[in-house]
Amino acid sequence: KEIFVTEKYKFVHNNFNEDESLAYKIRSLAGEALADFGALIDEQHRHIEIVSALRNIRYHRDPTIREIVVASLYRLGDTAELDREIQECKKKISQRPSDPDGYFDLGMLYLRIHNYPAGIEALEKVLDLVPYFGIAHYNMACAYSCMGEIDKGISCLQAAIESGYDDVGWMKLDGDLRNLRNDPRFQRIIKTLETKNYDLSRKINSN
């Protein structure tokens, strides 16, 4: 809990503190884990403590932190704010049905509360409008991975790479992809991206 709710949290390993990007990603993962952790707690006071800590930072200036907080609260039973956001997305879609942003936002909201089928359906509509939307393919890979549909997850991940997604560091950390990690196809994707990024870095440094 402290990793997520304490903005200036100091990690035991100094390299985490020195690498702001890595620290941010670890903090995000800790926030996403809070809902799972809270749901398993038998002691009511501890559950209340977690909900209270999340409510205290629900209006955080960082939009990603806010999104994690709202999704975690939803899964801990405080659904009002995310229900409102879902309705706003649906209203936006009804007003602008050819705008992929509305479907993307709706899909991401559903994925954050682990409603994977609804999230995939919304993201498929994004791809109907913008076929090479890399981050949509990536998040579909995450959804299929969480559902245990490995082949579909790998296929979507490959489509994400072909559409320009290349954050190999996050792919190696992202808990949503954990069911894909032991698949040789996933490992080949990682190796290919690392080689590509290394070659690009060498080329840039040589100029």
Coordinates of all heavy atoms in Angstrom, one line a residue, residues 42-77:
D42 N -9.5 -10.7 5.3 CA -10.6 -11.0 6.1 C -10.9 -9.9 7.1 O -12.1 -9.7 7.5 CB -10.4 -12.3 6.9 CG -10.3 -13.5 5.9 OD1 -11.0 -13.5 4.9 OD2 -9.5 -14.5 6.2
E43 N -9.9 -9.3 7.7 CA -10.2 -8.2 8.7 C -10.8 -7.0 8.1 O -10.2 -6.4 7.2 CB -8.9 -7.8 9.4 CG -8.1 -9.0 10.0 CD -7.1 -9.5 9.0 OE1 -6.6 -8.8 8.2 OE2 -6.8 -10.7 9.1
Q44 N -12.0 -6.7 8.6 CA -12.7 -5.6 8.0 C -12.0 -4.2 8.1 O -12.0 -3.4 7.2 CB -14.1 -5.4 8.6 CG -15.0 -4.4 8.0 CD -16.4 -4.3 8.6 OE1 -16.6 -5.0 9.6 NE2 -17.3 -3.6 8.0
H45 N -11.3 -4.1 9.3 CA -10.6 -2.8 9.5 C -9.5 -2.6 8.5 O -9.2 -1.5 8.0 CB -10.1 -2.7 10.9 CG -8.9 -3.5 11.2 ND1 -9.0 -4.9 11.5 CD2 -7.6 -3.2 11.2 CE1 -7.7 -5.4 11.7 NE2 -6.9 -4.4 11.5
R46 N -8.8 -3.7 8.1 CA -7.7 -3.5 7.1 C -8.3 -3.2 5.7 O -7.7 -2.4 5.0 CB -7.0 -4.9 7.1 CG -5.8 -4.8 6.1 CD -4.7 -3.9 6.6 NE -3.5 -4.0 5.8 CZ -2.7 -3.0 5.5 NH1 -2.9 -1.8 6.0 NH2 -1.6 -3.2 4.8
H47 N -9.4 -3.8 5.4 CA -10.1 -3.5 4.1 C -10.5 -2.0 4.1 O -10.2 -1.3 3.1 CB -11.3 -4.4 4.0 CG -12.1 -4.2 2.7 ND1 -11.8 -4.9 1.6 CD2 -13.0 -3.3 2.4 CE1 -12.6 -4.5 0.6 NE2 -13.4 -3.5 1.1
I48 N -11.0 -1.5 5.2 CA -11.5 -0.1 5.2 C -10.2 0.8 5.1 O -10.3 1.8 4.5 CB -12.2 0.1 6.6 CG1 -13.6 -0.6 6.5 CG2 -12.4 1.6 6.8 CD1 -14.3 -0.6 7.9
E49 N -9.1 0.4 5.7 CA -7.9 1.2 5.7 C -7.4 1.3 4.3 O -7.0 2.4 3.9 CB -6.8 0.5 6.5 CG -5.5 1.2 6.5 CD -4.4 0.5 7.2 OE1 -4.7 -0.4 8.1 OE2 -3.2 0.7 6.9
I50 N -7.5 0.3 3.5 CA -7.0 0.3 2.1 C -7.9 1.2 1.3 O -7.5 2.1 0.5 CB -7.0 -1.1 1.5 CG1 -5.8 -1.9 2.1 CG2 -6.8 -1.0 0.0 CD1 -5.7 -3.3 1.7
V51 N -9.3 1.1 1.4 CA -10.2 1.9 0.7 C -10.0 3.4 1.1 O -10.0 4.2 0.2 CB -11.7 1.5 1.0 CG1 -12.7 2.5 0.4 CG2 -11.9 0.1 0.4
S52 N -9.8 3.7 2.4 CA -9.6 5.0 2.8 C -8.4 5.6 2.2 O -8.4 6.8 1.7 CB -9.5 5.1 4.3 OG -9.3 6.4 4.8
A53 N -7.3 4.8 2.1 CA -6.0 5.3 1.6 C -6.2 5.7 0.1 O -5.7 6.7 -0.4 CB -4.9 4.3 1.8
L54 N -6.9 4.8 -0.6 CA -7.2 5.1 -2.0 C -8.0 6.3 -2.2 O -7.8 7.1 -3.1 CB -7.8 3.9 -2.7 CG -6.9 2.6 -2.8 CD1 -7.8 1.4 -3.3 CD2 -5.8 2.9 -3.9
R55 N -9.1 6.5 -1.4 CA -10.0 7.6 -1.6 C -9.2 8.9 -1.3 O -9.5 10.0 -2.0 CB -11.1 7.5 -0.6 CG -12.2 6.5 -1.0 CD -13.2 6.4 0.1 NE -14.3 5.5 -0.3 CZ -15.2 5.0 0.5 NH1 -15.1 5.3 1.8 NH2 -16.2 4.3 0.1
N56 N -8.2 8.9 -0.5 CA -7.4 10.1 -0.2 C -6.6 10.6 -1.4 O -6.2 11.8 -1.4 CB -6.5 9.9 1.0 CG -7.2 9.8 2.3 OD1 -8.3 10.3 2.4 ND2 -6.6 9.2 3.3
I57 N -6.3 9.7 -2.4 CA -5.5 10.1 -3.5 C -6.3 10.0 -4.8 O -5.7 10.0 -5.9 CB -4.2 9.4 -3.6 CG1 -4.4 7.9 -3.7 CG2 -3.3 9.7 -2.5 CD1 -3.2 7.1 -4.1
R58 N -7.6 9.9 -4.8 CA -8.4 9.6 -6.0 C -8.4 10.8 -6.9 O -8.7 10.7 -8.1 CB -9.9 9.3 -5.7 CG -10.7 10.4 -5.2 CD -12.2 10.0 -5.3 NE -12.5 9.1 -4.2 CZ -13.7 8.4 -4.1 NH1 -14.5 8.5 -5.1 NH2 -13.9 7.7 -3.0
Y59 N -8.0 12.0 -6.4 CA -7.9 13.2 -7.3 C -6.5 13.6 -7.5 O -6.2 14.8 -7.7 CB -8.8 14.3 -6.7 CG -10.2 14.0 -6.5 CD1 -10.8 13.9 -5.3 CD2 -11.0 13.7 -7.6 CE1 -12.1 13.6 -5.1 CE2 -12.3 13.3 -7.5 CZ -12.9 13.3 -6.2 OH -14.2 12.9 -6.1
H60 N -5.6 12.6 -7.6 CA -4.2 12.8 -7.8 C -4.0 13.6 -9.1 O -4.7 13.4 -10.1 CB -3.5 11.5 -7.8 CG -2.0 11.6 -7.7 ND1 -1.2 11.9 -8.7 CD2 -1.2 11.4 -6.6 CE1 0.1 11.9 -8.3 NE2 0.1 11.6 -7.0
R61 N -3.0 14.4 -9.2 CA -2.7 15.2 -10.4 C -2.3 14.3 -11.6 O -2.4 14.7 -12.7 CB -1.7 16.3 -10.1 CG -0.3 15.7 -9.8 CD 0.7 16.9 -9.5 NE 2.0 16.4 -9.2 CZ 2.4 16.0 -8.0 NH1 1.6 16.0 -7.0 NH2 3.6 15.5 -7.8
D62 N -1.7 13.2 -11.3 CA -1.3 12.3 -12.4 C -2.5 11.4 -12.8 O -3.1 10.7 -12.1 CB -0.2 11.3 -11.8 CG 0.4 10.4 -12.9 OD1 -0.4 10.0 -13.8 OD2 1.6 10.2 -12.8
P63 N -2.9 11.6 -14.1 CA -4.1 10.9 -14.6 C -4.0 9.4 -14.5 O -5.0 8.7 -14.3 CB -4.2 11.4 -16.0 CG -2.9 11.9 -16.4 CD -2.3 12.4 -15.2
T64 N -2.8 8.8 -14.7 CA -2.6 7.4 -14.6 C -2.8 6.9 -13.2 O -3.5 5.8 -13.0 CB -1.2 6.9 -15.1 OG1 -1.0 7.4 -16.4 CG2 -1.0 5.4 -15.0
I65 N -2.3 7.6 -12.2 CA -2.6 7.3 -10.8 C -4.1 7.3 -10.5 O -4.6 6.4 -9.8 CB -1.8 8.2 -9.9 CG1 -0.3 8.1 -10.1 CG2 -2.1 7.9 -8.4 CD1 0.3 6.7 -9.8
R66 N -4.7 8.4 -11.0 CA -6.2 8.5 -10.8 C -6.9 7.3 -11.3 O -7.8 6.8 -10.7 CB -6.7 9.8 -11.4 CG -6.3 11.1 -10.7 CD -7.3 12.2 -11.0 NE -7.4 12.5 -12.4 CZ -6.6 13.3 -13.1 NH1 -5.6 13.9 -12.5 NH2 -6.7 13.5 -14.4
E67 N -6.5 6.9 -12.5 CA -7.2 5.8 -13.2 C -7.1 4.5 -12.4 O -8.0 3.7 -12.2 CB -6.6 5.6 -14.6 CG -7.0 6.6 -15.6 CD -6.2 6.6 -16.9 OE1 -5.3 5.7 -17.0 OE2 -6.5 7.4 -17.8
I68 N -5.9 4.3 -11.9 CA -5.6 3.1 -11.1 C -6.4 3.1 -9.8 O -7.0 2.1 -9.3 CB -4.1 2.9 -10.7 CG1 -3.3 2.7 -12.0 CG2 -3.9 1.8 -9.7 CD1 -1.8 2.7 -11.8
V69 N -6.5 4.3 -9.1 CA -7.2 4.4 -7.9 C -8.7 4.1 -8.1 O -9.3 3.4 -7.4 CB -7.1 5.9 -7.3 CG1 -8.1 6.1 -6.2 CG2 -5.7 6.1 -6.8
V70 N -9.3 4.7 -9.2 CA -10.7 4.6 -9.4 C -11.1 3.1 -9.7 O -12.1 2.6 -9.2 CB -11.2 5.5 -10.6 CG1 -12.6 5.2 -11.0 CG2 -11.1 6.9 -10.1
A71 N -10.2 2.4 -10.5 CA -10.4 1.0 -10.8 C -10.3 0.1 -9.6 O -11.1 -0.8 -9.4 CB -9.5 0.6 -11.9
S72 N -9.3 0.4 -8.8 CA -9.1 -0.4 -7.6 C -10.3 -0.2 -6.6 O -10.8 -1.2 -6.0 CB -7.8 0.0 -6.9 OG -6.7 -0.3 -7.7
L73 N -10.8 1.0 -6.5 CA -11.9 1.3 -5.6 C -13.1 0.5 -6.1 O -13.9 0.0 -5.3 CB -12.2 2.8 -5.5 CG -11.3 3.6 -4.6 CD1 -11.5 5.1 -4.8 CD2 -11.5 3.3 -3.2
Y74 N -13.3 0.5 -7.4 CA -14.4 -0.2 -8.0 C -14.4 -1.7 -7.6 O -15.4 -2.2 -7.2 CB -14.4 -0.1 -9.5 CG -15.6 -0.7 -10.3 CD1 -16.7 0.1 -10.7 CD2 -15.6 -2.1 -10.5 CE1 -17.7 -0.5 -11.3 CE2 -16.7 -2.7 -11.2 CZ -17.7 -1.9 -11.6 OH -18.8 -2.4 -12.2
R75 N -13.3 -2.3 -7.7 CA -13.1 -3.7 -7.4 C -13.2 -4.0 -5.9 O -13.4 -5.1 -5.5 CB -11.8 -4.2 -8.0 CG -11.9 -4.2 -9.6 CD -10.6 -4.5 -10.2 NE -10.0 -5.7 -9.7 CZ -8.7 -5.9 -9.5 NH1 -7.8 -5.0 -9.8 NH2 -8.3 -7.1 -9.1
L76 N -13.1 -2.9 -5.1 CA -13.2 -3.1 -3.7 C -14.6 -2.6 -3.2 O -14.9 -2.6 -2.0 CB -12.2 -2.2 -3.0 CG -10.8 -2.7 -3.1 CD1 -9.8 -1.7 -2.6 CD2 -10.6 -4.0 -2.3
G77 N -15.5 -2.4 -4.2 CA -16.9 -2.1 -3.8 C -17.4 -0.7 -4.0 O -18.6 -0.4 -3.9

